[in-house]
Amino acid sequence: MTDLSTLTATVLRFGFLILLWVMVFAVVAAMRRDVVIGRKARVGTVTARQARKHPELAEEQAPAAKLAARELVVTEGPLAGTTLELAGTPILLGRAQDATLVLEDDYASGRHARLFPQGTRWFIEDLGSTNGTFLGGTQLTRALPVELGTPVRIGKTVIELRP
C-alpha cells in the first residue's frame, strides 16, 4: 500500500513539473510572437529580401513626389488651422504633453502616431493606438508613405502635408 501511494505521489510530482514547463514554454512562445509582430508593425522600410518577395512594396516606397512637404496643417478638429514646419525630424502625434503636436482630442491616445521622414518622403505609423490612425480613409496596419494633400485622421483631428 505504501509503495502505491509513493508511486502515485511521484507520478503526480512529475506530471506537475511537466505541466509547469509546458506553461513556461507557452509564455515564452507568446512573448516571442508578440515581439516579432510588434517589430513588423513598426518597420517602415522595405528590405531587399522583402522587395524580391513582394515587388509592390518596393514600388510603394519608390520616390514619386515631385514637391517636398514643408509643413503639416491641421485641417479639421479642435486645432484646425494649426501649422507645423517640417524640419526633417520625426513628429509624435498624441495627447501626451511630450508629443510634438499635442492633440486636444478625446479619441486620440497619449502617443497615438508618428510621422517620420525617410529620404524625400514622409511616412505615418500608428503606435498601437486604441482608435486607430487612418490615411485617406484606410486604417493603418503598418507604416505607409503620406502623399501631399492626403488626409490623415486621428480621432476628430485631420492633418495633411503641404508643400
Side-chain angles (χ1 to χ4, degrees), residues 40-150:
K40 286 180 184 174
R42 284 188 212 104
V43 173
T45 59
V46 178
T47 63
R49 190 171 127 205
Q50 289 171 326
R52 282 194 301 273
K53 281 186 173 180
H54 305 285
E56 69 278 4
L57 293 177
E59 291 169 10
E60 201 173 90
Q61 193 171 342
K66 292 182 173 115
L67 295 174
R70 299 198 186 277
E71 61 184 13
L72 175 71
V73 178
V74 180
T75 58
E76 293 179 33
L79 298 174
T82 304
T83 302
L84 261 172
E85 293 295 321
L86 299 176
T89 57
I91 296 173
L92 179 62
L93 306 162
R95 289 190 322 190
Q97 292 304 309
D98 65 339
T100 312
L101 180 61
V102 179
L103 302 175
E104 298 168 4
D105 191 329
D106 293 337
Y107 296 99
S109 298
R111 295 174 49 87
H112 195 100
R114 182 174 74 111
L115 188 66
F116 62 95
Q118 188 119 52
T120 59
R121 301 182 80 187
W122 284 84
F123 286 76
I124 185 89
E125 72 175 329
D126 187 86
L127 299 176
S129 65
T130 304
N131 295 317
T133 304
F134 296 84
L135 176 64
T138 305
Q139 187 168 2
L140 293 178
T141 56
R142 60 186 172 95
L144 289 176
V146 181
E147 301 300 329
L148 294 175
T150 303

